[in-house]
Amino acid sequence: LQVNCKLGGELWGVTIPPRNIMVVGMDVNKDTSRKDYSVAAFVSSMNGTQENKLSCTRYFSRCALQAKGQEFVDTLQTFMKDALLKYQEKNGVLPDRVFVYRDGISDGQLNTVSEYEVPQMRRAFKDVNESYDPKLSVILVKKRSNSRFFMKNDRNDVMNAPMGTAICDKVCKFPGEFYLISQSTNQGTVSPTHYVVIEGMEHLDMPKMQTITYRFTHLYYNWPGQIRVPAQCQYAAKLSRLVGETLHKPHASGLDELLFYL
């Protein structure tokens, strides 16, 4: 199965309700050979236009080595433009919606995404076509959460919340904030993933955003089930780790359309 993926195969998929969407995963990792540098990885889907066809099963990948604290500040506009042009090449049209799941962000870097990365994405839209203005949704992904959620059954026993549980009330401070439980466990407590929508709240209501995010957790081809984060983020994490720990340079451009890093 891994060899199939590495050569461009598609193992499985899920139906994503919106048509003609492009989904992006972004993550950052350290370069073990140079402590002052980090690896920024960008992974975007290339398919998602045809009715009754599975979408977000093939990916375009890019990465860059940058000075620590400068992740994506210099390269995101180029990566986004190249991803949009690749999507147009594969589908004949540009995407109507762009979902960006941004991992690898600490609480102190939230303003960096809003002030530097989101404007770069919008400039990339104009670089492709001056009149091109897709609906953009940017979601921050945080795996390290101290929160835990439980439920009671008919016998009043306390147990882990089931897979697919979303929490967006009482414990959330902002309208675009939610927790999602996408995995189960046989021992201990389930760790939820924390999401914060910082751009594009007006394009989708929260239940739809949560449903789409949960479906993306099923699309990781290295595991036959759900994972803690959207598959696009996990692919970006795998790529950034491979480059940061082994290659120490961007991969060859001929591999951009293959999941060679699985």
Side-chain angles (χ1 to χ4, degrees), residues 14-242:
V14 296
T15 303
I16 307 298
R19 292 288 93 192
N20 198 25
I21 65 170
M22 185 176 82
V23 186
V24 176
M26 296 160 53
D27 201 356
V28 175
N29 246 301
K30 296 178 182 177
D31 186 333
T32 56
S33 67
R34 292 181 290 179
K35 293 184 179 180
D36 293 335
Y37 279 78
S38 59
V39 181
F42 178 102
V43 176
S44 65
S45 60
M46 295 191 296
N47 61 324
T49 57
Q50 298 180 20
E51 291 289 343
N52 302 319
K53 291 286 186 179
L54 299 178
S55 57
C56 305
T57 57
R58 302 191 64 198
Y59 294 94
F60 172 81
S61 308
R62 282 286 176 84
C63 64
L65 271 70
Q66 297 185 151
K68 205 171 182 179
Q70 199 179 8
E71 296 90 354
F72 284 115
V73 172
D74 295 333
T75 57
L76 180 55
Q77 186 171 342
T78 301
F79 287 173
M80 181 63 78
K81 177 185 175 182
D82 292 345
L84 291 167
L85 293 175
K86 181 62 66 173
Y87 187 97
Q88 185 179 36
E89 175 189 322
K90 298 294 183 181
N91 300 280
V93 295
L94 289 166
D96 297 326
R97 297 172 183 264
V98 178
F99 291 87
V100 178
Y101 288 93
R102 175 64 157 102
D103 202 350
I105 283 288
S106 65
D107 291 337
Q109 295 176 303
L110 297 181
N111 290 336
T112 302
V113 179
S114 298
E115 296 174 6
Y116 296 100
E117 295 187 3
V118 173
Q120 281 194 76
M121 298 176 200
R122 295 201 178 279
R123 287 198 295 270
F125 299 158
K126 300 304 177 185
D127 288 346
V128 172
N129 190 315
E130 192 62 37
S131 60
Y132 180 54
D133 188 23
K135 295 176 180 178
L136 173 66
S137 297
V138 180
I139 305 100
L140 304 184
V141 182
K142 299 181 182 180
K143 297 187 291 289
R144 296 181 182 89
S145 171
N146 294 323
S147 301
R148 298 292 184 271
F149 300 98
F150 305 94
M151 63 176 291
K152 291 184 178 180
N153 61 15
D154 295 337
R155 295 176 297 179
N156 222 28
D157 297 329
V158 176
M159 55 194 297
N160 281 316
M163 293 183 293
T165 299
I167 299 96
C168 59
D169 196 11
K170 306 297 184 183
V171 296
C172 297
K173 300 177 183 178
F174 314 108
E177 183 181 9
F178 65 96
Y179 292 86
L180 179 64
I181 296 172
S182 57
Q183 289 182 306
S184 63
T185 180
N186 295 325
Q187 292 182 329
T189 58
V190 173
S191 298
T193 303
H194 187 202
Y195 297 88
V196 181
V197 183
I198 63 169
E199 187 79 15
M201 272 292 294
E202 68 276 12
H203 302 320
L204 274 178
D205 59 28
M206 189 55 66
K208 288 184 179 178
M209 178 70 78
Q210 294 162 356
T211 300
I212 291 171
T213 300
Y214 179 54
R215 293 190 182 193
F216 288 149
T217 65
H218 294 69
L219 291 173
Y220 184 56
Y221 291 152
N222 241 1
W223 179 253
Q226 302 94 314
I227 58 174
R228 282 194 63 191
V229 298
Q232 296 81 8
C233 284
Q234 190 66 14
Y235 290 136
K238 287 280 289 185
L239 176 58
S240 62
R241 279 200 295 269
L242 174 66

